[in-house]
Amino acid sequence: MARNRNNRNHNNRNQLAAKTTAKSTGNKLFPQLVEKTVTQTRQDIAKWKAALNGFNNTDSPSVYLLYNLYDSILDDALLTSQIENRIQDTLGSSFNLSKKGGDIDEELTTTFQNSELFNDLITHIINSRFYGHSLVELDWKQDGLNEPQLKADLIPRQNVLSKKGVMLFDYNEDKGIKYREVPEFGTWVLEFGKPGEKGLLNKAVPHTLFKRFAQSCWSELCEIYGIPPRVYKTDASDPAAVARGKKMMQDMGSAAWFIIDTEESFEWAKGVNTNGDVYGNLLNFCDNQNSLLISGAVVGQDTKHGSNSKEQASQKLLSKLVLADMAMVEMYMNTKVMPALARIGVVPADYVFQWEISEDLGTLWERTVQALQHFDVDPEWVKDKFGIQVTGIKQNPTPVPGTNLNVAESFFV
């Protein structure tokens, strides 16, 4: 039976190889986009409010200001790390591809396990939580002399009016195409997320902007606190004395000495009486809020009031969010991606995507040891599951610490 199944899989591979040269019909959306240069300007709360007003405009929505702001705040190291933690935890998990209700297709699973196509699709699906929406176009692309590979291009969110189902060729103009009405939609063009949603990043905007403000002010404080202003006293009514004083202060630079007239004086201004606690507290508050937003808890930042139990509880909350991301990925993969790939000819029809459930080997080992008191356990299963080479039954009985099991009743050596 196993040989027949392998033959069927081999036949499926041959059939798929003949289909992978299929091309999509009609014009591609991604090549029609007008590439734009995004200027780096100072962002503040007023610009965030203006971007929200444009996004929420019913008659003539404009989303590019908000998504440009999202790209800007992702320069923040903590926010990026929190998002990457969730994405990488999902990408690092193993999945299986199998016919619905059938055995796992090991060859097909191995082919796509670390493929660029599936990694990109999973990333775009998870990012729909943070951005609110993702529109992806599949296309065959060839790198050099290599065989063409199916790849997923993300349509820039600045160009997508998801509430109206319109993709703008230039986000500064109103000329576009209703992408849900093109024949390729659902096969070559895939949509993830809820139309009109702003995503979690919208809630991170004010905290990130306030954090930048606090960092800027704190850096200025460091400059003033480390090198207090210098005060030079002279006859302000004498232009020559004033000019001489300006030149003297410029020439002094970082030198520790200079010469002044006996009628003039020089002193250091009194420095500020704070070490920047007010800015540090604002920075910590903003970091904690973004950590709560993305990870569900303050994970790894609070070293002053942290504890092992607190970190463990935080990791459990983060794990629950990762599991929710994985459930969403599995849902979109089975309802949109796998049917689309089947129509393209990359996977057989009626194949499903499933995450591989990881086992707690510590708990399983304890249960195995307890089961040995009453049941026979397959040595091959023990070898495959725990990596223990079982060669026979040990005849000399010795007690196993922590259990009532006699090793003479087991087969471990």
Side-chain angles (χ1 to χ4, degrees):
M1 182 180 296
R3 179 176 299 176
N4 292 334
R5 184 167 62 249
N6 291 334
N7 290 335
R8 289 197 300 271
N9 289 338
H10 182 70
N11 292 333
N12 287 336
R13 298 286 84 73
N14 292 335
Q15 294 174 3
L16 293 177
K19 293 182 180 179
T20 52
T21 56
K23 302 294 181 180
S24 64
T25 58
N27 294 327
K28 284 293 182 181
L29 301 181
F30 190 80
Q32 300 183 61
L33 296 172
V34 177
E35 189 174 354
K36 305 288 289 187
T37 300
V38 180
T39 58
Q40 297 294 325
T41 59
R42 182 181 177 89
Q43 304 289 346
D44 53 26
I45 298 298
K47 291 186 177 180
W48 174 49
K49 292 296 183 182
L52 289 178
N53 290 334
F55 191 97
N56 295 326
N57 191 311
T58 304
D59 299 327
S60 181
S62 177
V63 302
Y64 72 92
L65 290 175
L66 186 62
Y67 286 123
N68 284 346
L69 183 57
Y70 285 179
D71 292 342
S72 175
I73 67 172
L74 284 177
D75 290 336
D76 182 77
L78 179 130
L79 183 61
T80 301
S81 69
Q82 296 291 316
I83 293 175
E84 286 298 314
N85 284 342
R86 285 181 58 169
I87 295 177
Q88 297 304 324
D89 280 350
T90 303
L91 289 178
S93 302
S94 300
F95 60 81
N96 295 315
L97 301 179
S98 62
K99 190 173 182 61
K100 188 178 299 183
D103 295 331
I104 297 173
D105 191 326
E106 299 289 350
E107 183 182 352
L108 194 64
T109 299
T110 302
T111 300
F112 289 107
Q113 181 67 62
N114 295 314
S115 67
E116 182 180 351
L117 174 64
F118 270 53
N119 276 10
D120 289 344
L121 286 171
I122 292 172
T123 300
H124 296 325
I125 291 174
I126 299 176
N127 273 333
S128 65
R129 284 199 188 276
F130 305 116
Y131 289 90
H133 183 266
S134 294
L135 185 65
V136 176
E137 184 177 47
L138 304 178
D139 192 13
W140 294 102
K141 295 189 177 181
Q142 186 172 7
D143 295 331
L145 300 177
N146 297 326
E147 291 294 328
Q149 299 291 326
L150 188 64
K151 296 188 178 182
D153 292 320
L154 176 69
I155 304 296
R157 297 179 177 88
Q158 291 87 337
N159 295 71
V160 180
L161 305 178
S162 59
K163 190 179 294 186
K164 290 192 171 185
V166 174
M167 189 206 78
L168 302 175
F169 301 123
D170 186 336
Y171 61 67
N172 284 322
E173 301 177 359
D174 56 1
K175 183 181 179 181
I177 184 173
K178 294 185 177 181
Y179 60 84
R180 296 191 183 111
E181 298 179 4
V182 299
E184 293 81 8
F185 184 74
T187 300
W188 298 93
V189 179
L190 303 176
E191 186 176 26
F192 309 116
K194 296 181 179 180
E197 288 289 325
K198 303 180 185 67
L200 292 178
L201 283 178
N202 182 56
K203 296 179 175 62
V205 169
H207 305 302
T208 307
L209 294 182
F210 286 139
K211 179 180 176 181
R212 286 184 181 177
F213 166 77
Q215 285 179 314
S216 177
C217 293
W218 204 354
S219 65
E220 293 179 3
L221 175 66
C222 292
E223 181 180 359
I224 298 174
Y225 189 79
I227 306 177
R230 295 169 294 182
V231 180
Y232 179 80
K233 296 180 180 180
T234 187
D235 185 3
S237 61
D238 185 356
V242 173
R244 185 176 66 254
K246 288 182 178 180
K247 187 177 186 306
M248 188 182 302
M249 297 294 281
Q250 291 174 354
D251 293 342
M252 177 183 176
S254 59
W257 61 273
F258 67 103
I259 300 173
I260 61 176
D261 191 86
T262 56
E263 301 296 327
E264 299 167 338
S265 64
F266 172 85
E267 62 186 31
W268 295 94
K270 184 179 180 181
V272 293
N273 294 324
T274 178
N275 59 0
D277 286 343
V278 62
Y279 302 123
N281 291 336
L282 181 56
L283 288 173
N284 290 333
F285 172 78
C286 293
D287 281 344
N288 290 344
Q289 291 299 108
N290 282 337
S291 185
L292 288 170
L293 176 66
I294 304 300
S295 300
V298 180
V299 180
Q301 283 90 47
D302 192 354
T303 57
K304 184 177 181 180
H305 304 97
S307 64
N308 183 52
S309 59
K310 191 175 181 180
E311 288 299 316
Q312 290 180 348
S314 299
Q315 289 294 335
K316 289 181 179 179
L317 290 173
L318 177 59
S319 298
K320 290 183 178 180
L321 292 177
V322 173
L323 290 175
D325 291 339
M326 295 173 68
M328 181 182 69
V329 169
E330 188 171 309
M331 181 269 292
Y332 277 123
M333 292 294 289
N334 289 324
T335 58
K336 294 190 176 184
V337 176
M338 296 300 290
L341 296 181
R343 288 190 289 270
I344 294 173
V346 176
V347 299
D350 298 328
Y351 264 50
V352 295
F353 173 100
Q354 289 181 324
W355 291 109
E356 189 173 291
I357 301 176
S358 60
E359 297 177 316
D360 186 349
L361 294 182
T363 302
L364 184 61
W365 172 256
E366 292 178 359
R367 293 178 179 178
T368 302
V369 172
Q370 294 172 2
L372 285 171
Q373 301 179 71
H374 310 287
F375 306 100
D376 292 331
V377 179
D378 185 5
E380 288 298 325
W381 177 83
V382 174
K383 178 182 177 181
D384 294 339
K385 186 65 64 175
F386 303 104
I388 299 177
Q389 183 70 40
V390 179
T391 60
I393 299 176
K394 188 173 182 178
Q395 300 300 327
N396 296 327
T398 55
V400 178
T403 68
N404 295 323
L405 176 65
N406 193 307
V407 178
E409 301 170 354
S410 69
F411 45 74
F412 299 114
V413 296

